[in-house]
Every structure is written in C-alpha cells, then in structure tokens.
Amino acid sequence: MDKTFHSSNGKYVNHVSNNNEKIERQILRENSKQKDEENISTRTLKIIRNQLLNNDLSNIMHNNVTLVRKTIIDKKRKQYPIYPTSLNETYSN
C-alpha cells in the first residue's frame, strides 16, 4: 500500500493513496447501487455477479463483495419506514 504525506498547517498527515483495489471496489459499489435502483426486484448478489462479469474487475476479493452487498442492503432499507420499537410508538404513529 502506497502512503503519501501531505503538509497541512505545518503538520504531516498520513494518507493512503488510491490503489487499484480501492478504485475497483468503488466502481463495483456505485454500479451495483445504480443497477439496484433500476431493478428493485432483482436479488442483490445477482446484481453484484452481473457487475463482476460485465466489468473487468480483477482485484476484487470476497471481503469486498461482502461490503458491497451490505452497502446495497443498507440502501434498500432506507427506502422503507422504520418499524416501531415499542407499543406506544405503534399507537402514536
């Protein structure tokens, strides 16, 4: 992993530069989220598999696929209302 140092107000801050794995993971994440918005009824893993087959993403590891899947599922959950946690919340809403 390449590290670069940027001077900010006389202090050195350690930043990790974007490597190919990180960029490919971001491409997979954004493309998958976009396809998920277009095809709501399609399963999440099917969308990810299609993106992996269609794009030449060679540095993607299993852990990255798991993170992308979690991101898509979290995005889907935001579309639905929050369930009440108590009986009082149920009657007040």
Side-chain angles (χ1 to χ4, degrees), residues 4-18:
T4 57
F5 295 95
H6 298 280
S7 178
S8 171
N9 297 330
K11 298 179 182 177
Y12 286 99
V13 181
N14 188 3
H15 292 281
V16 177
S17 63
N18 290 337

Side-chain angles (χ1 to χ4, degrees), residues 24-92:
E24 287 183 2
R25 184 178 64 228
Q26 289 173 347
I27 291 170
L28 176 64
R29 183 186 315 132
E30 294 304 317
N31 288 345
S32 298
K33 285 187 337 188
Q34 183 180 11
K35 290 294 182 183
D36 184 59
E37 288 177 354
E38 295 171 2
N39 305 320
I40 297 172
S41 61
T42 308
R43 290 186 3 220
T44 305
L45 284 178
K46 185 174 182 179
I47 292 171
I48 294 172
R49 282 189 208 120
N50 286 335
Q51 290 300 313
L52 288 172
L53 289 174
N54 294 337
N55 299 328
D56 185 27
L57 304 173
S58 60
N59 292 330
I60 299 295
M61 300 179 73
H62 176 71
N63 187 22
N64 294 335
V65 173
T66 305
L67 292 174
V68 170
R69 183 173 178 261
K70 185 179 180 324
T71 302
I72 294 173
I73 290 172
D74 289 344
K75 185 170 174 76
K76 279 184 178 182
R77 284 187 184 148
K78 289 182 181 179
Q79 296 175 355
Y80 297 105
I82 300 173
Y83 291 118
T85 56
S86 67
L87 191 58
N88 292 336
E89 285 183 15
T90 305
Y91 292 126
S92 65

